[in-house]
Amino acid sequence: MASHYGIQEVFEGDNPVVDIVAVHGLNGDPIKTWTTDKTQRFWLADKEMLPKNISNARMLSFGYDASVTAFLGRTSSDTILQHAHTLVAELVADRQLEGALNRPIIFVCHSLGGIVVKRALAYSASRTSKLIQHLHSIFVSTYAILFLGTPHQGSDKAKLASTSRKMVDAMVPSKLFDTDGQLLEALKEGSETLQNVTDMFAPLMKNFRIYFFWEQEKTDFGTTRKYVVKEHSAAPILDDTERAGLPYDHRNMCRFESRTSPGYRLVIAALMTYTLNAPSTIAQRWISASETLKAKRATEAAELMQ
């Protein structure tokens, strides 16, 4: 599993103008999360799917330890931050080697992968000092984010813990935990971390095109069927954002069998629009960011002379 950690390039088009970065969620995998069970169709790299619709993009997938304790345990605040730091560092390194530090980025996140991306962008936004300003490039270059089933709202700690529990039941074998009490105690503490990350990201949202997707099918838990992340949490109604439902359960809402699969055209149309519009917007943003950083360096130099 560790060999799947880090950034993987899964497809590169001709003269790519954007990097599309997929980030999986709880108990996920950089390939399997996006691959159908029956036909093993990996739509992000299958030449008959995303690459056929968007031939001028580079497709990357980020892998990391997405165990329950990493996301939702007592140390979740530390581990989510570590994953966010690693995502930023890996992306910067990969894009430096490609000579593409200024290339626009579009994130596609499933479930709690959206939490990692939100924390990563908050971290990158704050990296403006001279020696580490290269880390700021991820924030500057990010044009759009597609959130598939990410829990964005949950001011009620108990409700967010309940949502987290349903994610565990849907994505992780129950044998990993001995008792419900042990798990729920961890989820209550972890849920506070999820809410804190969402609050941290809120002031940055105006910088990005954002599309929220929610699950329209309930997940089968054996004795009952429930939504894992409800519509109001997965797709809050906010100004200047887009939202739509996908006709799948939580686990399968990020998988498509073919270009005619329900929901596929919705997701691809958004990616195509963002790919078309991102280069000019991000080019202007880089001009502005460079001027801001230059002024910051001049101010710092003047202060040293005093």
Side-chain angles (χ1 to χ4, degrees):
M1 185 68 176
S3 63
H4 288 172
Y5 292 172
I7 286 287
Q8 298 182 49
E9 180 182 289
V10 297
F11 169 77
E12 182 176 20
D14 297 327
N15 302 312
V17 298
V18 298
D19 286 343
I20 300 175
V21 184
V23 183
H24 65 76
L26 188 68
N27 208 43
D29 177 272
I31 306 298
K32 293 177 183 177
T33 289
W34 314 96
T35 302
T36 56
D37 289 330
K38 289 183 180 179
T39 59
Q40 296 296 296
R41 177 66 65 89
F42 179 39
W43 67 277
L44 300 176
D46 189 297
K47 291 184 178 180
E48 291 302 311
M49 298 195 71
L50 187 149
K52 188 161 188 172
N53 290 115
I54 308 174
S55 60
N56 59 341
R58 193 168 68 115
M59 190 65 231
L60 308 171
S61 192
F62 178 62
Y64 59 100
D65 177 10
S67 63
V68 177
T69 51
F71 263 125
L72 304 169
R74 291 178 176 83
T75 61
S76 61
S77 177
D78 293 335
T79 48
I80 287 173
L81 181 60
Q82 289 165 9
H83 292 327
H85 286 181
T86 303
L87 173 57
V88 170
E90 288 254 1
L91 269 178
V92 169
D94 176 83
R95 286 154 59 84
Q96 279 180 330
L97 293 173
E98 292 291 320
L101 265 183
N102 294 12
R103 184 184 292 158
I105 296 170
I106 301 170
F107 284 104
V108 180
C109 323
H110 177 237
S111 188
L112 291 175
I115 301 297
V116 173
V117 169
K118 291 197 288 188
R119 188 66 186 88
L121 288 170
Y123 167 69
S124 176
S126 68
R127 302 296 95 180
T128 57
S129 60
K130 184 176 181 180
L131 296 180
I132 56 170
Q133 68 182 37
H134 56 287
L135 299 176
H136 190 58
S137 65
I138 302 305
F139 170 73
V140 178
S141 293
T142 298
Y143 178 77
I145 312 165
L146 280 67
F147 291 107
L148 283 69
T150 295
H152 298 283
Q153 291 185 341
S155 55
D156 184 325
K157 195 172 172 181
K159 285 184 180 178
L160 194 52
S162 174
T163 296
S164 300
R165 173 58 204 259
K166 284 184 285 185
M167 283 186 181
V168 172
D169 289 342
M171 307 298 285
V172 184
S174 59
K175 64 183 179 182
L176 292 180
F177 284 88
D178 297 330
T179 66
D180 285 352
Q182 175 193 356
L183 174 58
L184 288 175
E185 187 60 34
L187 294 187
K188 284 177 184 176
E189 295 192 35
S191 64
E192 187 168 326
T193 296
L194 303 190
Q195 187 59 43
N196 289 343
V197 172
T198 291
D199 292 344
M200 196 180 303
F201 179 73
L204 305 177
M205 287 181 61
K206 63 181 183 296
N207 296 286
F208 315 120
R209 294 288 302 273
I210 291 179
Y211 210 135
F212 298 120
F213 294 93
W214 71 88
E215 63 213 58
Q216 291 180 310
E217 296 289 336
K218 294 180 179 180
T219 295
D220 186 355
F221 292 105
T223 57
T224 185
R225 297 177 66 86
K226 296 179 181 178
Y227 294 113
V228 174
V229 182
K230 293 181 179 179
E231 176 193 344
H232 71 88
S233 180
I237 300 174
L238 301 171
D239 290 343
D240 299 322
T241 63
E242 298 175 89
R243 61 197 304 274
L246 293 174
Y248 303 96
D249 63 18
H250 186 74
R251 183 171 179 268
N252 290 299
M253 67 186 301
C254 55
R255 298 169 170 176
F256 302 105
E257 289 278 1
S258 71
R259 285 191 291 145
T260 60
S261 294
Y264 175 79
R265 291 167 70 85
L266 199 58
V267 172
I268 285 295
L271 288 172
M272 290 174 69
T273 298
Y274 297 156
T275 298
L276 180 65
N277 296 332
S280 59
T281 299
I282 296 303
Q284 287 298 315
R285 190 182 296 171
W286 267 107
I287 292 172
S288 177
S290 298
E291 291 173 350
T292 300
L293 290 172
K294 186 177 179 180
K296 184 177 174 67
R297 300 290 85 83
T299 301
E300 292 168 350
E303 290 174 350
L304 288 173
M305 296 295 289
Q306 292 178 356

